Amino acid sequence: MAYSAKLLLLLSMFLILTTFSNVVEGYKKLRPEDCEPKCTYRCSATSHKKPCLFFCKKCCAKCLCVPPGTYGNKETCPCYNNWKTKEGGPKCP
């Protein structure tokens, strides 16, 4: 009985660690040279590519993070998400 309880605990801990490792991956810091390809993908679905790329690269250079996907998911990069314009709108695409 003690053996199965230990095995269950070990399996539970493994599942929790696996879950958190996926969350931590979203906060991984980029190197400055990684900004160009990440921003190119981030801005690939917009019709306003030039301003999107400009601001995305600016935000990436400061935050060293670009949210995954072409839209949304900003919560994975708090610095990128919280940087605002003078008017209070989002600075980063």
Side-chain angles (χ1 to χ4, degrees):
M1 186 72 171
Y3 177 75
S4 59
K6 287 181 183 178
L7 184 61
L8 183 61
L9 179 64
L10 185 62
L11 182 60
S12 299
M13 290 175 64
F14 175 75
L15 290 172
I16 290 169
L17 286 173
T18 304
T19 301
F20 282 117
S21 71
N22 291 338
V23 170
V24 170
E25 186 68 27
Y27 294 103
K28 186 173 74 174
K29 295 280 186 181
L30 297 175
R31 297 177 313 217
E33 59 268 18
D34 296 332
C35 289
E36 179 85 27
K38 292 281 188 181
C39 286
T40 299
Y41 178 70
R42 179 81 178 164
C43 296
S44 64
T46 184
S47 58
H48 306 287
K49 288 197 187 346
K50 194 171 182 177
C52 181
L53 283 169
F54 175 81
F55 286 107
C56 182
K57 289 177 190 176
K58 187 173 186 157
C59 295
C60 182
K62 178 182 177 186
C63 301
L64 295 178
C65 185
V66 174
T70 57
Y71 183 79
N73 303 314
K74 289 184 179 184
E75 65 280 352
T76 61
C77 296
C79 169
Y80 192 99
N81 187 37
N82 298 331
W83 198 9
K84 305 294 183 199
T85 63
K86 291 176 186 175
E87 293 81 23
K91 182 139 190 133
C92 306

